[in-house]
Amino acid sequence: MRTRPRTGTLMTRAWTLPVLAAAAVAAGLLTTVPYGSAGGGGADDGAAAGPAAGRLAAAGAPRGKARPDARHVVLAVHGGAGTALQRDETSPEREKAYRDGLADAIRAGKKVLDRGGDSVSAVEAAVRSLEDNPLFNAGKGAVFTTDAGHELDASIMRGSDLAAGAVAGVRHVRNPISAARLVMTKSPHVLLAGEGADDFAAAHGLRPVTQDYYWTQARWDALMAAKKKAKGARASGAALADEQAKGTVGAVARDGKRDLAAATSTGGLTNKLSGRVGDSPVVGAGTYAKNGTVAASATGDGEIFLRGAATATLSNLMEFGGKDVAAAAYEVLVKRLPKLGGEGGVIALDGEGTFDAPHSSEGMLHAYLTEDGTIVTKIFPDETPPHT
Ligand code: ASP
């Protein structure tokens, strides 16, 4: 999945504010907003298998069956699939920062739903919160392209009428998910790319940011690690883990009218070629919402999710194959996509509030809110073992 660096283009940019940006990262890591989350849960059965088996043997076992993670869910978010955070290597501060980040996003969406807002507004609010959090690979904290720039993708979809909007390769939008929503509501199009998308967002009131806005030390180190790896050299474990932890964000929701919505936002893959577009802004690949079937947001190896038309297939398996949300999500994520050579995960919510978050990657950060107001965050493999 990783692209090879184009030699000669690295370090051509002048990074003017690295110290300030690093301080912002540190501030993100030290977030102290309280959360009412309960970790853990999930249904663990079966024996550990696959590449993550070593760690999972100690931490918990993967699930071998398709069954939902939770019921009565109204809103869920993810913070990306990939190499998992490891309990024994994660400081309490870092654990709290991730759980707070996910819970804050849930709370942002909940606020919208609590005051009678629709599911589209709820997923937009949740994703904006994650985009503003430098821990995640979307908005502030987006990964670097191979020539040390940032190009962001996002999409949003409304389940009631299949309206959708998306932006790809934007370089100057603070919250790409809001640009995607504007494409949906204020243009006759579904997907705008590149400069045109940046201009459209600015013309509709989104204040532009410079590329330096997205900068974080962790993503810079991850780019360096990816480039070293591509040359066959060794990089530090932390930087490599960050490079592999994809960190895309997404949200799914159902509102008081039982309308579904889904949204996804990402910086893409570390060290990607400039111009590369993944699955996240593509309706039916990274994002899909259709009343009667599912609201789904994916994360993982984008090329595979594109080729497998991941979230549209999930919906189709429900609509035409008679599967429930967990069975359909399991079929796509565990049975079909790995055969194409990639891994990742999806959060999937049906109109009844049945929720599943299957993933073939070692981990997938996610959280959900149930009707009674409970927020559950899951960040470690023993809370969310991969489905096999
Ligand atoms: N799917 C995203 C992409 O390929 C990456 C991710 O989910 O982490 O752009």
Side-chain angles (χ1 to χ4, degrees):
M1 282 300 92
R2 306 288 180 280
T3 53
R4 289 195 159 274
R6 282 187 303 192
T7 51
T9 52
L10 174 64
M11 303 297 287
T12 54
R13 299 179 54 79
W15 298 103
T16 51
L17 295 170
V19 176
L20 284 179
V25 177
L29 290 172
L30 296 172
T31 303
T32 54
V33 180
Y35 59 95
S37 65
D44 303 352
D45 61 8
R55 290 188 190 277
L56 289 167
R63 284 174 292 159
K65 283 199 296 253
R67 65 185 191 211
D69 280 359
R71 298 188 192 277
H72 310 292
V73 169
V74 286
L75 173 70
V77 298
H78 70 76
T83 306
L85 287 173
Q86 300 302 331
R87 204 181 270 281
D88 51 353
E89 294 162 9
T90 305
S91 68
E93 293 79 17
R94 193 163 168 80
E95 174 182 351
K96 177 167 166 39
Y98 275 102
R99 291 200 196 276
D100 283 354
L102 294 168
D104 283 349
I106 289 279
R107 276 193 287 267
K110 179 179 186 298
K111 213 165 139 186
V112 172
L113 294 174
D114 284 350
R115 58 168 190 253
D118 61 19
S119 53
V120 170
S121 303
V123 293
E124 182 191 7
V127 167
R128 281 179 66 100
S129 169
L130 293 163
E131 286 177 336
D132 289 345
N133 186 328
L135 285 177
F136 300 98
N137 171 22
K140 175 79 184 167
V143 299
F144 285 91
T145 63
T146 193
D147 48 5
H150 302 275
E151 297 176 6
L152 289 75
D153 303 332
S155 63
I156 193 162
M157 188 162 181
R158 185 164 66 204
S160 57
D161 60 355
L162 303 185
V167 292
V170 292
R171 297 166 53 86
H172 300 288
V173 179
R174 173 177 162 151
N175 293 111
I177 200 63
S178 295
R181 187 175 183 180
L182 284 168
V183 173
M184 177 171 90
T185 54
K186 305 274 187 226
S187 90
H189 308 300
V190 168
L191 172 58
L192 293 182
E195 250 181 58
D198 276 315
D199 291 349
F200 175 85
H204 286 81
L206 300 188
R207 197 157 53 84
V209 293
T210 63
Q211 284 266 289
D212 293 336
Y213 166 75
Y214 305 112
W215 193 95
T216 58
Q217 185 69 52
R219 297 302 181 189
W220 180 258
D221 293 347
L223 176 67
M224 295 301 110
K227 285 184 180 290
K228 272 192 185 164
K229 200 171 78 177
K231 283 191 191 142
R234 284 173 70 91
S236 92
L240 268 181
D242 271 346
E243 183 245 323
Q244 291 157 5
K246 298 182 177 77
T248 289
V249 308
V252 294
R254 78 190 163 104
D255 57 28
K257 290 187 185 161
R258 293 189 154 207
D259 285 337
L260 294 173
T264 310
S265 182
T266 189
L269 299 179
T270 298
N271 206 26
K272 68 183 180 181
L273 287 177
S274 177
R276 179 264 187 190
V277 174
D279 60 317
S280 305
V282 176
V283 167
T287 304
Y288 202 71
K290 184 173 190 178
N291 283 8
T293 59
V294 72
S297 170
T299 172
D301 297 311
E303 282 71 9
I304 300 306
F305 282 74
L306 280 165
R307 288 167 55 207
T311 51
T313 301
L314 205 169
S315 176
N316 289 340
L317 286 170
M318 294 177 71
E319 184 169 1
F320 306 116
K323 289 188 185 293
D324 63 26
V325 63
Y330 180 83
E331 167 88 25
V332 172
L333 266 295
V334 181
K335 292 193 159 169
R336 297 190 183 203
L337 293 183
K339 286 189 190 140
L340 296 176
E343 60 175 32
V346 69
I347 52 172
L349 177 68
D350 74 11
E352 307 304 312
T354 308
F355 172 73
D356 201 23
H359 53 98
S360 54
S361 50
E362 186 183 2
M364 181 171 72
L365 309 180
H366 65 280
Y368 58 83
L369 167 74
T370 49
E371 285 163 359
D372 62 3
T374 305
I375 297 173
V376 177
T377 61
K378 298 196 175 193
I379 63 170
F380 293 130
D382 55 355
E383 296 169 330
T384 167
H387 296 59
T388 55

